Amino acid sequence: MSPARRIVPGLDAIPAEVDVVVVGLGITGAGVALDAVTRGLSVLAVDAHDVAFGTSRWSSKLVHGGLRYLAQGQLAIARESAVERGILMHRTAPHLVRALPMLTPLDDAMPRRRAALTWAGLRAGDALRRSAGTTTRTLPRPRRLNATEALALAPTLRREGLRGGLLAWDGQLEDDARLVVTVARTAASYGAHVRTRARVTSATGTAVTLRDELTGTTYDVRARAVVNATGVWAGDLDERVRLRPSRGTHLVLRGSALPRTRVAVMVPIPGTSARFAMVLPQPDGTIYVGLTDEPAPGPVPDVPVPSEGEIDFLLALVAPTFTVPPTRADVVGTFAGLRPLLEVAGTDATADLSRRHAILTAPTGVTTVVGGKLTTYRRMAQDTLDTLVAAGRLEAGSCRTASLPLLGAAAPDDLRRTTAPARLVRRFGTDAELVLAVAREVTGLADDELLAPVSDDVHVTLAELVFAITHEGAHDVDDLLGRRTRVGLVAEDRAAAEPLARRALQLVSASSRPVSRGVSTGRSRP
């Protein structure tokens, strides 16, 4: 596979003219790039930093079915969310999304009236599941549990006052940044030019000026359409875009803080009727506690930082639910993301703002797609391209992405039969063998060394780090540990993994072997 069919840092050898330039390589921009290139359009997709640098990597790692929006009366977005969740779980990314059981304890924090309303909401959410065509094999129906059953799923729940629980199911990502990288890599495999460290310094609807952040060289690229998919930074390219960013904070705990917790635990937020905090077990053995919804006015930082008040709020909120609640000493990491919420006149609280997306055209001709949420990224991309086609700015075929598997996609039963290393299968699906083959070829090392985890707590391997450099555009240690893997969420784990990341960079740099095994073994080979 040539470099043009991989994610590449810098702007060397980019085309002077394309059909579509996409600015921003979060989930929305990566989705727009994939939609456009699979309609037969030539695409250049760029980011000033890296793939998944912004909000897309700071989510709860959930693929929501829209239950919260249903409770708010936002029926259209609830339905859209349920449909897109089904597409991800059944067709496009079943290797990266799995069913997550979610338990709402019926305790003193859930009086019987709220419990009845929550149960009604879960039943309505299940109706959405059915209407979206998602099977019960993928997401089982909700059901009531007695106290014994609830404790079997979450033994650390406080027993006093526990009447039982409500069990429902939703989608959980292996890793949000992994989804973004996979979408971007799939776009590249179809011929899109996907470039990081590429900053847009000026843009109109038909041209951009780019600066290579590695060399300082500037480039002018002509296009038939320029799409601004920069999320909370959208106003930098279209000053008419008015956003009210909202900060969502999560805490990171070791699994030992709440041992043998097999399900997500939902904790009602006092003073609200349909909002919950979540205690979320992760595939890597950590647990996330989140999330907040705080207005974040002012300049947009590259990396948002949780406030001390948010950390205290989350710990205090979940404490009454558990026999031995987590404390500050159990918090090994934190992270926060900014939601790009569209400003709506007459709305005060960011929690009340719609997650609906919008497609706007600036006086310069730049098309901005903004709002929305991770689950609905594919539909946002489809609507963006459909808008440009309808306006006569692009000539292209119909959208293909609703049935287009991402690289490595396969049904869960097929993945269970593979003999590839389990961690690589979880993160790369059927491309797990490709990851290992590339690492062998580049380094010449034996599998034992390529697949050895950093430690019992840090499961990252040299094989996946090498592949991140050769095929996924990773340029430095931050790319490797912050976005291709998520080790950087815990400072202690990052310190442990950094020597391995540096070794991967050195091995790839020193290798004189051309990487010949470039084509994915997944169903989505172009």
Side-chain angles (χ1 to χ4, degrees):
M1 182 183 290
S2 70
R5 288 183 177 256
R6 302 178 190 160
I7 304 169
V8 179
L11 289 168
D12 184 48
I14 62 166
E17 184 171 1
V18 294
D19 293 322
V20 183
V21 171
V22 182
V23 186
L25 282 170
I27 189 60
T28 304
V32 170
L34 178 59
D35 189 296
V37 75
T38 54
R39 294 188 194 217
L41 298 169
S42 58
V43 176
L44 171 64
V46 300
D47 196 283
H49 299 284
D50 187 25
V51 180
F53 184 82
T55 301
S56 297
R57 63 172 163 147
W58 303 128
S59 77
S60 297
K61 321 288 188 275
L62 296 177
V63 175
H64 282 299
L67 183 59
R68 176 178 171 184
Y69 311 114
L70 190 64
Q72 294 173 338
Q74 298 178 20
L75 300 183
I77 192 169
R79 162 75 177 166
E80 182 177 271
S81 298
V83 169
E84 293 302 318
R85 178 185 63 184
I87 289 172
L88 279 162
M89 298 189 77
H90 280 160
R91 301 175 212 157
T92 61
H95 58 316
L96 298 178
V97 188
R98 58 190 58 87
L100 175 69
M102 308 183 79
L103 173 66
T104 303
L106 299 180
D107 54 16
D108 294 340
M110 283 289 288
R112 295 185 185 278
R113 176 176 171 77
R114 179 157 187 176
L117 289 172
T118 300
W119 178 243
L122 295 179
R123 295 290 299 274
D126 192 55
L128 273 180
R129 172 197 62 75
R130 294 196 303 273
S131 72
T134 304
T135 67
T136 54
R137 184 179 180 186
T138 300
L139 290 173
R141 296 184 181 91
R143 63 189 181 94
R144 295 178 180 270
L145 305 180
N146 60 36
T148 300
E149 292 170 319
L151 287 167
L153 295 175
T156 55
L157 290 177
R158 187 184 298 275
R159 295 168 180 264
E160 295 82 357
L162 184 65
R163 309 187 305 274
L166 305 177
L167 184 67
W169 300 75
D170 216 336
Q172 182 181 38
L173 284 163
E174 166 69 24
D175 172 8
D176 46 10
R178 172 78 3 221
L179 176 66
V180 181
V181 171
T182 304
V183 174
R185 192 166 73 87
T186 305
S189 78
Y190 279 90
H193 298 267
V194 182
R195 301 301 185 97
T196 64
R197 268 64 176 196
R199 185 178 297 275
V200 173
T201 58
S202 67
T204 68
T206 56
V208 295
T209 299
L210 299 158
R211 183 175 68 236
D212 187 320
E213 297 291 83
L214 301 178
T215 66
T217 306
T218 60
Y219 299 81
D220 293 319
V221 177
R222 299 181 302 278
R224 294 165 63 194
V226 175
V227 177
N228 173 17
T230 54
V232 288
W233 294 278
D236 293 349
L237 287 182
D238 183 353
E239 61 184 16
R240 299 184 314 153
V241 174
R242 294 287 181 265
L243 299 178
R244 286 176 56 189
S246 165
R247 186 174 61 246
T249 286
H250 292 83
L251 315 180
V252 184
L253 317 176
R254 298 284 187 209
S256 57
L258 295 169
R260 303 195 313 280
T261 299
R262 298 164 48 199
V263 295
V265 177
M266 311 295 289
V267 180
I269 297 177
T272 71
S273 59
R275 289 187 59 210
F276 291 80
M278 299 175 288
V279 178
L280 298 165
Q282 298 299 306
D284 66 0
T286 60
I287 293 174
Y288 296 165
V289 179
L291 79 161
T292 59
D293 197 332
E294 293 293 320
V300 177
D302 283 348
V303 179
V305 177
S307 69
E308 292 297 312
E310 288 173 291
I311 297 171
D312 290 338
F313 167 79
L314 289 170
L315 288 172
L317 179 62
V318 303
T321 303
F322 298 99
T323 302
V324 181
T327 67
R328 277 273 184 159
D330 295 309
V331 178
V332 295
T334 62
F335 63 92
L338 297 181
R339 307 173 184 91
L341 304 181
L342 286 165
E343 190 170 81
V344 178
T347 304
D348 294 325
T350 55
D352 295 329
L353 292 177
S354 175
R355 283 359 184 218
R356 191 75 183 175
H357 62 271
I359 299 164
L360 312 168
T361 302
T364 60
V366 171
T367 298
T368 295
V369 53
V370 70
K373 58 204 197 74
L374 185 147
T375 303
T376 59
Y377 83 89
R378 192 210 62 81
R379 185 54 189 262
M380 294 170 67
Q382 176 182 335
D383 288 351
T384 302
L385 268 295
D386 285 349
T387 297
L388 289 166
V389 170
R393 296 178 60 187
L394 295 172
E395 295 180 8
S398 58
C399 178
R400 296 176 54 197
T401 55
S403 58
L404 184 82
L406 301 181
L407 291 180
D413 287 346
D414 294 334
L415 294 178
R416 279 190 284 270
R417 287 193 288 268
T418 183
T419 59
R423 174 178 169 82
L424 298 186
V425 173
R426 272 198 0 246
R427 297 183 66 79
F428 298 93
T430 59
D431 273 357
E433 292 285 4
L434 172 66
V435 173
L436 187 53
V438 167
R440 289 171 183 149
E441 187 173 357
V442 169
T443 68
L445 298 175
D447 288 4
D448 286 352
E449 193 165 0
L450 291 171
L451 297 174
V454 172
S455 70
D456 289 342
D457 289 326
V458 184
H459 306 142
V460 171
T461 65
L462 183 59
E464 64 198 277
L465 295 176
V466 168
F467 188 80
I469 300 163
T470 60
H471 285 63
E472 297 179 340
H475 177 69
D476 58 23
V477 170
D478 284 342
D479 291 356
L480 289 171
L481 302 185
R483 291 169 287 278
R484 303 310 180 278
T485 68
R486 308 312 301 279
V487 177
L489 293 176
V490 178
E492 178 184 354
D493 294 351
R494 179 193 164 96
E498 191 164 329
L500 192 67
R502 295 195 182 281
R503 186 181 181 208
L505 290 162
Q506 291 165 357
L507 286 167
V508 174
S509 177
S511 175
S512 59
R513 300 178 179 87
V515 180
S516 60
R517 294 178 178 269
V519 178
S520 167
T521 56
R523 298 187 313 199
S524 52
R525 183 191 306 183

